[in-house]
Each structure stands twice: as structure tokens, then as C-alpha cells.
Amino acid sequence: MSPVLFWLFTLLMLGFATSVVVNRNPVASALSLVGAFLALAALFVGLDAYFIAVIQVLVYAGAVMVLFLFIIMLLDLKAEQRRRFNIVTLLGGSIVAAGFIAELTALLSKFQLGKRGFPTLPGAKPVDDVYQVGMTLFTTHNLPLQVTGVLILVATIGVIILSRRELK
Amino acid sequence: MSLTLNHYLFASGLLFSIGFAGVLLRRNILTIFMCLELMLNSANLSLVAFSRFNVGPEGLPNYNAQILVFFIITVAAAEVAVGLAIIVALFRARQTTHVEDISTLKF
């Protein structure tokens, strides 16, 4: 991936992510989240992970965000009015986030392996990505795939029960 | 200057800390949920970067990491469905999505 594209999409991703946190209107937050996911999908394409990029756009930017917008519409949420700032959470959140970034910087400055560039792929440039992911998924990781199927079944049943029962 | 693995890891860490700060700072339960999605996605970015960095002997990226990303996306989709159902049930009971108004465990 050319560095210009990397910086462009990283800045887009971080900008949209910040706007998710800063916006008071939940609809604006959800749409910013779509933007962040699309920029992330572009970064995945730059890393030659075409299948993951497509899944990211279809599942995250498509299905999951439609679900979010649908729930926002169903609950009829307005932009939240300005409440009194809770100084403890504000301070705690900034300190923990800043500490995390500082620790990450210290760690990555010592991580010599990560200072190397990415190796080039010797084969044909569009790798047969879907074939490789499918082969790995259905041979090496077949059992986790089946377990994920059970998980989705349980989640579906859970959602039906949760939305049916009257909670008083 | 060429791109290195550290660029991607740092971008992923920044995305994670933005999502984490959002979870701590925001009081709207839906926005907190969106910030959780941001944190999951930052993990995906670092996994895909590691996958592309570890080119195997046959000259292909390490696809085990991409399978893990696939599973994370699947589990996150299931988690969003269940979480939003819980939020809808909570809203029906309390008529609010503000976490400071929902401070007791019992209904």
C-alpha cells in the first residue's frame, strides 16, 4: 500500500472514530461509525486481505449498522441534552486513554521486528484470497466454525426470547 | 519512508484508545455500544497487519490470523444482536438509554 493512501485512510478512520465519541446525536455517531468501518476496509485492501475487507463492508458497514440505525429509529432517540459533566469519569477516561497511548509508544519503540517493512508477495498480485481463507476455514479451523454456528443459533434464540417476554 | 508493521500497530492502538475513552466518557448506552465495536475493529486491524507481515514459505500471508478476524466479526455481529435486544428491553422497562438513570440491578 502506498504510504499516501495509508495516511489518508488512517486519518479518515481516526477522524470518524473521534466523531463517533464526540457527537451528541446518536444518528450522527452511527453514520460516523460507518465511515470509520469503510476506511478500515480500505486499510484491509491495502494489506491484501480482500475477503476480510468485503466482509467488513457487508457485515459491519451494512448489516450491523443498519441494525443500529433501526434501533435508534425504534427508540426515537433525540440528541442528548447537555448534562453536568462528571469530572471523575472525564479525568479517568482521559488518563486511562493517555496512559494506554504512552505505554503503546514505549512498547513499539522497543519492538525491533516491527520496524521492518512488509515483505513483498512473490506470486501473482491479486492473491487467491477467498480460496485460501476458505481452505483454512474448512480444513484447519472446521471445529471452531461449527461452534460459531451453534453460537449464532443460541444468540438468535436469545434475541427472540428477550424481545418477546414482558419485562416488568 | 516505507510503511512498517509499527505504523499499523500504532494506528490500531489509537483506534482502541479512542473507543476505550468513548466507553468511559459517554453516557448514552447506544454510543457506548458503538465504541465497543470500534475497539473490536482495532483488534482486527492489528491481526490483519500481522497476517500480512508473516509471509509463509509458500509466499502467502498467514491466513490463520484472517480466520480469527472472520470469527471476531461473526461473534461481534451476534453480540450486537443480543446487546441491542437487551437495550430495547431495557428501554421498554425504563424509557431511557442514559446509563446514569439505570443504576440498580433489579427491575
Side-chain angles (χ1 to χ4, degrees), chain A residues 18-153:
Chain A
T18 316
S19 127
V20 171
V21 177
V22 170
N23 263 317
R24 287 186 176 277
N25 191 346
V27 178
S29 279
L31 291 179
S32 309
L33 196 56
V34 174
F37 285 162
L38 289 179
L40 198 59
L43 285 180
F44 288 163
V45 169
L47 288 166
D48 297 316
Y50 302 103
F51 178 68
I52 297 296
V54 169
I55 290 291
Q56 173 87 9
V57 172
L58 286 183
V59 176
Y60 260 126
V64 167
M65 292 323 295
V66 165
L67 201 58
F68 263 106
L69 286 173
F70 184 74
I71 296 299
I72 291 171
M73 184 197 78
L74 189 71
L75 301 187
D76 195 21
L77 295 181
K78 303 283 185 297
E80 58 184 291
Q81 59 273 55
R82 192 171 290 273
R83 293 211 184 189
R84 178 172 59 84
F85 261 122
N86 191 341
I87 197 75
V88 179
T89 52
L90 194 66
L91 211 65
S94 338
I95 286 176
V96 171
F100 182 79
I101 293 173
E103 193 180 342
L104 188 75
T105 319
L107 196 69
L108 287 187
S109 68
K110 278 188 276 180
F111 184 45
Q112 289 305 322
L113 191 66
K115 290 186 179 134
R116 269 191 252 152
F118 284 90
T120 48
L121 297 177
K125 191 51 180 123
V127 284
D128 49 352
D129 183 69
V130 181
Y131 172 80
Q132 295 293 341
V133 170
M135 283 306 278
T136 321
L137 188 61
F138 285 105
T139 54
T140 322
H141 302 287
N142 203 347
L143 180 66
L145 183 70
Q146 313 284 338
V147 175
T148 315
V150 177
L151 173 83
I152 291 179
L153 180 67

